[in-house]
Each structure stands twice: as structure tokens, then as C-alpha cells.
Amino acid sequence: MKKSIYRKFRRNIIFFTLLVSFTPLILLGGIIYYNFVRVYEEKIEDQVKYRAKSQCNTVEVFLRERVAILSTLVDTHSFEYLKQQTNLSHIFDVISRRTDGLVDIGVIDGSGQHIAYSGPYDLAGLNYYHTFWFNEVMSKGKYISDVFMGFRKSPHFIIAVRGHNNGKNWVLRTTIDPDLFHQLVRTAQTGRSGDAYIINKDGIFQTGTRFSGSILGQSNLDTKLFGEGTSLVEKIKLNGRVKYYAGAWLKNNDWLLVISQDVSEEMAGLLTTRNFAILILSLGCLAIIYTTIITTKMTVQRLEKANDGINELNAQLMHSDKLAALGKMAAGIAHEINNPLAVIGEKAGWMRDLLMDEAFTNSDSYKEYSVSIDKIEEHVERARKITHNMLGFIRKMEPRLDDVDINGVLNQTVGLMQNQARLNNITIQMEFDPNIPIIASDQSQLQQVFLNLISNAIDAIEIGKSKEGRINLKTWQKNEYVFISIEDNGPGIPKESERKIFDPFFTTKKTGKGTGLGLSISYNIIEKMGGMINFENKAPQGIVFTIKLPVVLPEKK
Amino acid sequence: MGIFRILIVDDEVDFLETIVNRLKKRKLDAIGVTSGEAALDLLAEQLFDVVLLDIKMPGGMDGIETLREIKKIRPLTEVLLLTGHASVETSIEGMKLGAFDYLLKPIKLEELLQKLAAAFGKKSTHDKKIQDAKIQELIRYPSKVFEQDKKE
Ligand SMILES: Nc1ncnc2c1ncn2[C@@H]1O[C@H](COP(=O)(O)OP(=O)(O)OP(=O)(O)O)[C@@H](O)[C@H]1O
Ligand SMILES: [Mg+2]
């Protein structure tokens, strides 16, 4: 019942201490981490966006340059000139030397007929009239196609420009090297997980990609997410990993340049920092938990001990109060009994005096009278012993402070008891500390206490006679106190009697043998001296009584 | 040398009568009174060697008061206190007021005689040895002394 109160108390302290120390710690850690991550993410976002935009510009410039070359050719050379195969080859040679990325060049007349061609494929003579791009370029003047397979059966895209000579339209067309173009786009890709590629409006790859798919394949990006024209970042979660996608529209919003970046890779540094922080935080928390539990436990234990001490003290106080009250009552009773006892004693004595007269000595019943008077006197004496013990009045007239050598007094007392002990086959051992100080106390009262305790020990051993009797007397000093212990190897006291042995009249001895006052008187004497008697019951191995006396040094005379 | 005179003061009449008789039987001149006032009246007229005084007497003067008065009028008379209930404090007070010793009720006659002897001894120091011898005999063989006294 009491234990559970302490347990609850301890639990509460631990709970609240941990709550109060953890909450701000975790809150602070969380907030700092959250903000840090946000700033970091923003930075990555900006970076990805910026890269997309600048790469988009690069690609745009590349395309515009190629368009410009074709436009210049169309404007400065006539159809008649360019349709000559040798002229076209010569011009293509010159251009290829200055500009990279062009695979071939061809001249197509108004009816779609491929008239002249310079390049690695065998395309001369084909008719393009029905291809999608031919119509586009004829109507718009300039055209950059999406990637397609075409007659050559390999993915490529073309740039075509319309020329006008002598009232006739014609077309100059060139193919862009898809590998070179891909390489150009790819320069924007970073790290181990970054990717850069181009898709068209329908999500068809216009370049190769690193991870996302192959050219002309279908991307699973929803191009509508990227809005119109400018770049925009989307965060897309793919199997637990967050990827950033930045897109920039180019080629009149036909193509979307996409840059993707795995956030976890970018954040790897941050993550290790985070893990380190979590580690430190957890270690800190563990330390807090540990110290909280330990200190709380210690505090509560101390408290418990202190309370136990107080309770014990209270119990002792109550006990000594009880003894004091009982003592007063006993004294009153003793007085009331003493007066009639005195009369009985004197009357019996008077009868004995009278019996001495010759007249009686010769009478028949003289013996009877004499024996009766003996008995009366014997029992008055017994009663007298009880009442005098009750008054604790074997003391001398003057209660004075002697210079008491405790070891000496014990020796004397043992001397008095030695005969009785020997008769009962009991050895008395003495281990005295020769250095204990001479104290100011009442020698005869102390002697009475020692007598009471030693005779109790002898009585106890007599009862449990089976073993060799042994009484151990010890003295020692500790701090401001002298200790005297009296140990016997008798049967000890039954548990249920422990509380009662200091009560007046508590005895387990035969009527006439014990009055039950020995310990009560001893207790009072020692208490008045400012000391204390305790015992340690080792039943059935005997009992140790310990007397604790304050060291009061005698005044120097 | 005359017989010692003893005044016994106790409110318990049965006790008083008996003790007076027993002392008389031992050739001591004992007189009993039942109150402090009566004792003082008697002491004013006569001389006693020793007064045996009960400390606790309900009604009238108690032992300690009587002791104080006795010491005023007869400072040389020795007082033995008698009590059924003595605390250390009353004993100290009695000793301070000049009581010679005290006895606890119920008394043992031997003890009383011993203390009386000591008190007599203190009172008249001359002829001490003769007295002591006589007292020793008195204590050890009371009946013999009676017999001798009777024959004398
Ligand atoms: N050394 C001891 N071993 C076992 N029991 C003891 C011991 N000392 C005391 N007791 C128990 O405590 C009781 C009370 O002891 P206490 O000295 O007060 O009275 P008593 O010895 O019975 O009588 P008294 O001492 O007045 O003759 C004893 O009757 C005995 O039962
Ligand atoms: Mg005892």
C-alpha cells in the first residue's frame, strides 16, 4: 500500500520531467530540421529551374543558327544553282566544316520531288509531296520537325526552309544529327541521378534519355502540368523517391526541355547531417531518461528512508509515552499498595515479637503460628519487592553524577553474576574497548541496568538449555556515543512478544520468578540518561540488546 | 545513658500503633502521633533523639512542611523520612532540609533499626563505641536484649 504510493510518485516525477525536457527538445529539433529542409529544397528547386531555362536557351540558339544558315542559303542562292548536285555538295562541304550537327542537305522542288541531295543516305529522287513536313514548310516558310523515322528508317528531325525563285516555290531541307543534338541537351544533366531530355507536346521523347525512356518512346510526364512557355517545377513521387522536374518550352511551345533531379541525392549531405542530428538527439534523450530515472529513484528512496525514520521515531515516541503513562500509573498503584502492605508487615512482625514470650513458646500451636507468620512475612517481602521495583527505587538516596568507567562497572556486574552463570554452564565473554571515555552518569543505576539485562540473558539460556550457554558483552564508541551490547545464545523472543518486552509487568517467567519490570525500569533509566536501548531479535539464535549512551564528560574538579 | 527517645509521625493508625509497640518491645522510648501539628506540639515540650516522619499525609501538614518546622525548633533532632512513594525530587528536598535518611514502606524492621542506630550515632558522638556495641547487639539479638533488660 505504502510502497505503491512511492511507485506512483516516482512514475509521476519521471513522466513530467521527461515530458518537460523532451517536448521543447523535439519541437526545436523538428522546427530547425523542417526549416533547413525547406531552404535546401528551395535552393535545389531554383537550381533545377535555372538549369532548365539556360539549357532551353542553348538549344533554341542552336536551332535558330541552323535555321539562319538555311535561310541565308535560300536567300543568296537560286534554285537553279542549288539543284546542281556538284554545287550543293560543295556548299554542304563548306557548311559542314564550319558548323556541326548537319547530317545532310537536300533540294526539293514545288511538287515535292527530291532534286538534289548531299549526304550519307540514298534519298535522291524520292517524292515528299505527301509528307507532313512538306506541306508545313510550303505554307509557313520555315519548319523544324519532330523526330520521326522517315524514308531512312532511323529517328531524326529536319529543318526545312522555303525558297522563292522566278515565281516558283522550292524547299531546302537539312537533317540534324540526333546524337549530337542529344549530346547538346545532355550537358544539362548533373549528378548520378540527374536527367535532361526533350519531349514534344504529346510526350514523345525527342532525344534519348538517361533513365526515362528511349527516343520516340512515350514519356509518362503529363506535359500539361508544365503550363505554357516558361519553366516550372513539379515534384513527383516515384516509388518513394521524390524527383524534381523542371521544364522549359522551346520551339514555339512544341518541345519541352525537361530536367529531372532526384532530391534524395541532392539532399544526401543534408540527410547525413540529419541522421547525425537524430543520433545526437537520441543519445541526449537517452541520457536525460537515464539521469531522470536514476535521480528520481535516488530522491524517492531518500524520501522513503526519511519517512521510515520519522515513522519509526513516531512509533518510538508513542511507545515511550505509553511507558511513561504506565510508569506513572504503576507508581500510584505501588504507593496505594505499600501502605496496607506496611501495616500487614508490621502486624506480622508484632505477632512474631509477641510469640517470643515464653508463654507462647511453650504453647502447642507455637510452630503453626511461627510458620504462618514466616509465610506472611515472606509474601509481604515478595510484594514489597514488586512495588519497590515498580518505583524503580533501588537507587541511593542521593542521585548524583559519578565518574563512571563503563568497562569497570560491567566487570563488577559480571563478578556479581559469575557464580550464577557458572552454575548454569554459561560462559561470559567480554570484548571491551579500553579507550571508551569515563562519563558522568549514575553508577548504581547503570549497574542495575546491566544486572537486569545479564540476568535476563542467563534466564533465557536456562530455558533453551540444550546448547552451551554464552553471553557476549561488548563496548565501543562511535561519535558522541558509547555503546554496550549484551548478546546471548538463548532462544530469543517470539515475534509477537517483541513489542511488549519493555512494557511493565510483561513477563513470560513463572509467578514469583519474574516481575516483568526489569526491562521497563532499565528502559526508563537509560532514557533519562539521554540514551536508548534497542534489541535485535535473532530468534531462535538469541538476542542482542544494545545500549547507547551519550558521552557526557565529567566536569574537571 | 538513658534510653533513646523516638517520635513517630504517621496518619496510618494501624501502622503507627504497631511500630510503636515493636520499638517499645526493643526497649526504645517510642511515642506515636498521627499528624504533623501534634508532632510539633509534642516537640515543643519534650526532647526526642530521632523523629520518624511519613512524607505523605493527606489533610493537614505534609511531611516536608513538618520537617521544615521541626528543624526550626529542634535543629539537633535527626529526622528519618518514611514514605510509600518517594520520588527523587522529594528525597532531594528532604535531604536539603536536613533529613538524615529515608525509608520505604513497607519497612524491614532490621533496616529501620540500622538507620535509627546511625542517627543516634550521629547525634551523640561521645560514648559512641558503647552505643554502637549495644546497638549491634540490639539488631542481631533483639530478644536476648529484652531478656537481659528484663532481668536487670
Ligand atoms: N535475553 C532474553 N532472551 C529472551 N527473552 C528475553 C530476554 N530478555 C527478556 N526477555 C523476555 O522479556 C520479558 C520481560 O523481561 P523483564 O526483564 O522486563 O522481566 P522479567 O525478566 O520477566 O522479570 P524481572 O526482570 O522483573 O525479574 C521476559 O519475561 C522474557 O520473556
Ligand atoms: Mg528480567
Side-chain angles (χ1 to χ4, degrees):
Chain A
M1 164 90 202
K2 241 174 76 189
K3 280 266 173 258
S4 73
I5 289 176
Y6 287 117
R7 215 176 306 128
K8 206 168 146 196
F9 185 51
R10 198 167 64 199
R11 228 179 22 223
N12 283 350
I13 294 183
I14 291 177
F15 176 74
F16 284 111
T17 317
L18 291 186
L19 188 79
V20 166
S21 43
F22 277 5
T23 314
L25 197 69
I26 289 172
L27 224 64
L28 195 74
I31 289 172
I32 289 177
Y33 179 72
Y34 174 77
N35 279 325
F36 210 72
V37 167
R38 235 195 42 211
V39 169
Y40 214 84
E41 278 177 355
E42 260 165 29
K43 222 185 82 188
I44 296 171
E45 222 174 275
D46 284 350
Q47 211 186 31
V48 175
K49 248 191 229 177
Y50 170 78
R51 265 196 281 136
K53 197 140 202 164
S54 68
Q55 195 62 10
C56 174
N57 285 338
T58 312
V59 173
E60 200 91 76
V61 167
F62 175 88
L63 294 175
R64 226 179 292 133
E65 262 174 23
R66 304 302 174 276
V67 172
I69 290 170
L70 289 197
S71 302
T72 313
L73 277 179
V74 169
D75 289 349
T76 54
H77 296 74
S78 65
F79 175 68
E80 274 66 31
Y81 178 79
L82 285 177
K83 76 179 189 189
Q84 301 295 322
Q85 185 65 39
T86 46
N87 291 345
L88 189 66
S89 296
H90 173 68
I91 284 174
F92 185 59
D93 275 353
V94 175
I95 293 170
S96 295
R97 244 175 278 138
R98 304 277 152 93
T99 314
D100 49 4
L102 300 183
V103 177
D104 58 8
I105 195 163
V107 177
I108 297 146
D109 70 7
S111 61
Q113 200 61 35
H114 205 170
I115 293 182
Y117 172 78
S118 174
Y121 299 99
D122 185 19
L123 297 175
L126 289 173
N127 191 307
Y128 289 105
Y129 191 79
H130 293 294
T131 57
F132 62 93
W133 59 266
F134 186 73
N135 292 323
E136 289 279 335
V137 75
M138 286 305 263
S139 61
K140 286 181 185 158
K142 282 175 205 162
Y143 181 66
I144 301 172
S145 74
D146 280 358
V147 173
F148 64 102
M149 295 301 274
F151 290 114
R152 68 189 67 177
K153 306 284 182 244
S154 93
H156 66 287
F157 73 93
I158 55 137
I159 299 175
V161 177
R162 186 188 63 199
H164 189 78
N165 270 137
N166 307 328
K168 273 186 186 165
N169 282 333
W170 55 283
V171 171
L172 187 64
R173 185 217 66 167
T174 184
T175 308
I176 300 297
D177 181 351
D179 294 333
L180 189 111
F181 188 68
H182 183 201
Q183 263 169 33
L184 178 76
V185 172
R186 220 168 55 191
T187 51
Q189 112 197 349
T190 57
R192 267 179 293 138
S193 61
D195 207 348
Y197 51 84
I198 291 174
I199 52 176
N200 70 5
K201 266 190 192 137
D202 304 322
I204 306 293
F205 288 116
Q206 302 299 305
T207 63
T209 74
R210 198 176 182 188
F211 302 112
S212 314
S214 52
I215 191 160
L216 285 182
Q218 177 69 48
S219 156
N220 45 17
L221 274 185
D222 183 0
T223 52
K224 279 185 211 102
L225 284 176
F226 291 85
E228 288 289 312
T230 45
S231 61
L232 182 128
V233 170
E234 281 303 322
K235 292 171 210 172
I236 294 171
K237 265 201 176 149
L238 253 179
N239 6 310
R241 321 200 66 176
V242 177
K243 274 191 168 184
Y244 277 11
Y245 286 88
W249 290 102
L250 54 93
K251 198 163 96 53
N252 277 329
N253 294 344
D254 270 349
W255 286 358
L256 182 69
L257 182 111
V258 178
I259 297 223
S260 79
Q261 187 71 50
D262 195 327
V263 180
S264 50
E265 192 199 330
E266 280 296 303
M267 301 244 263
L270 183 74
L271 287 184
T272 43
T273 313
R274 183 194 68 177
N275 290 343
F276 192 63
I278 286 176
L279 185 78
I280 287 178
L281 210 73
S282 335
L283 284 180
C285 286
L286 276 182
I288 291 173
I289 292 174
Y290 180 76
T291 40
T292 307
I293 288 176
I294 294 288
T295 46
T296 308
K297 208 171 161 182
M298 262 161 51
T299 316
V300 172
Q301 260 171 10
R302 262 212 203 139
L303 200 79
E304 208 175 329
K305 233 190 210 152
N307 273 349
D308 281 356
I310 289 171
N311 286 342
E312 201 172 297
L313 208 70
N314 277 341
Q316 270 174 16
L317 280 180
M318 263 168 66
H319 191 67
S320 52
D321 271 2
K322 203 175 90 186
L323 283 188
L326 268 167
K328 247 181 213 151
M329 203 174 93
I333 293 170
H335 173 63
E336 290 311 318
I337 290 172
N338 275 344
N339 279 323
L341 216 52
V343 177
I344 296 169
E346 287 318 307
K347 288 289 178 199
W350 178 234
M351 278 152 80
R352 174 174 305 288
D353 289 351
L354 294 178
L355 220 51
M356 298 287 186
D357 286 354
E358 257 162 289
F360 285 105
T361 324
N362 299 330
S363 110
D364 291 343
S365 38
Y366 168 75
K367 249 212 153 71
E368 288 290 317
Y369 279 118
S370 178
V371 169
S372 296
I373 290 167
D374 277 351
K375 278 281 172 231
I376 294 174
E377 283 190 325
E378 190 188 318
H379 285 272
V380 167
E381 177 58 23
R382 188 175 139 195
R384 179 182 126 99
K385 227 180 176 171
I386 294 175
T387 53
H388 284 194
N389 264 349
M390 265 161 81
L391 294 168
F393 222 108
I394 298 151
R395 72 183 82 202
K396 287 200 173 127
M397 184 67 189
E398 288 168 279
R400 46 170 216 270
L401 290 182
D402 313 307
D403 294 356
V404 180
D405 164 19
I406 300 231
N407 292 342
V409 176
L410 275 168
N411 262 324
Q412 259 180 30
T413 315
V414 170
L416 290 175
M417 308 297 290
Q418 201 60 270
N419 259 331
Q420 202 192 335
R422 224 178 332 222
L423 276 177
N424 289 302
N425 208 13
I426 295 168
T427 34
I428 301 183
Q429 291 167 344
M430 289 172 269
E431 291 171 44
F432 295 161
D433 176 356
N435 298 322
I436 58 172
I438 304 282
I439 61 170
S441 196
D442 189 317
Q443 173 147 355
S444 60
Q445 288 191 12
L446 275 180
Q447 184 149 30
Q448 196 194 344
V449 172
F450 298 155
L451 263 173
N452 286 343
L453 292 179
I454 296 174
S455 64
N456 277 353
I458 292 178
D459 291 348
I461 294 171
E462 255 184 284
I463 294 166
K465 203 125 188 210
S466 55
K467 41 198 168 182
E468 288 269 297
R470 190 176 43 72
I471 296 173
N472 230 341
L473 306 181
K474 272 185 215 164
T475 59
W476 70 92
Q477 185 185 4
K478 196 176 164 205
N479 303 332
E480 302 294 288
Y481 293 94
V482 174
F483 292 83
I484 302 116
S485 77
I486 292 144
E487 178 176 7
D488 66 63
N489 66 344
I493 322 163
K495 266 247 153 350
E496 60 273 17
S497 307
E498 268 181 13
R499 312 189 115 265
K500 291 186 261 174
I501 61 167
F502 287 116
D503 293 350
F505 302 114
F506 174 77
T507 181
T508 53
K509 292 168 191 170
K510 266 184 272 167
T511 20
K513 178 120 207 249
T515 61
L517 287 168
L519 283 179
S520 151
I521 288 167
S522 304
Y523 189 95
N524 281 315
I525 289 176
I526 297 298
E527 198 180 42
K528 273 208 187 103
M529 291 178 174
M532 185 104 108
I533 303 188
N534 281 317
F535 65 91
E536 188 193 342
N537 188 11
K538 297 182 178 168
Q541 247 77 264
I543 189 165
V544 192
F545 280 90
T546 306
I547 302 168
K548 174 177 158 190
L549 280 176
V551 172
V552 183
L553 293 176
E555 279 170 38
K556 295 232 166 70
K557 286 158 203 162
Chain B
M1 177 179 359
I3 294 168
F4 301 124
R5 300 201 74 211
I6 304 163
L7 176 62
I8 304 170
V9 193
D10 196 325
D11 60 329
E12 184 79 50
V13 184
D14 282 338
F15 179 79
L16 188 67
E17 265 177 9
T18 320
I19 198 83
V20 166
N21 284 338
R22 291 190 81 187
L23 292 178
K24 272 188 180 153
K25 193 144 181 116
R26 282 161 178 78
K27 280 287 169 192
L28 294 167
D29 186 0
I31 294 173
V33 290
T34 54
S35 71
E37 289 85 349
L40 288 172
D41 287 348
L42 207 57
L43 275 168
E45 293 164 11
Q46 303 175 21
L47 278 177
F48 288 89
D49 295 294
V50 177
V51 178
L52 192 60
L53 179 61
D54 191 10
I55 288 184
K56 211 167 185 192
M57 289 180 291
M61 291 172 84
D62 78 352
I64 294 294
E65 276 175 66
T66 315
L67 171 62
R68 209 175 275 130
E69 292 306 313
I70 291 173
K71 282 290 162 186
K72 269 186 203 156
I73 55 170
R74 297 279 181 223
L76 285 180
T77 303
E78 294 299 343
V79 179
L80 273 177
L81 295 175
L82 190 62
T83 179
H85 174 287
S87 63
V88 188
E89 289 73 29
T90 25
S91 312
I92 295 172
E93 206 180 340
M95 296 303 282
K96 272 189 194 150
L97 290 172
F100 176 70
D101 205 341
Y102 76 91
L103 282 157
L104 268 182
K105 277 186 189 176
I107 56 169
K108 283 182 179 169
L109 195 70
E110 289 78 26
E111 210 182 325
L112 173 62
L113 292 172
Q114 251 162 8
K115 296 218 160 141
L116 282 175
F120 296 148
K122 194 187 169 199
K123 191 161 183 278
S124 41
T125 40
H126 63 283
D127 268 349
K128 199 168 187 300
K129 273 182 194 155
I130 303 168
Q131 271 184 27
D132 276 357
K134 193 169 178 182
I135 288 157
Q136 281 307 314
E137 245 181 314
L138 185 76
I139 291 164
R140 245 176 281 153
Y141 313 106
S143 46
K144 243 190 195 165
V145 181
F146 293 151
E147 251 111 80
Q148 277 173 9
D149 284 355
K150 262 185 192 167
K151 278 167 200 162
E152 271 167 19

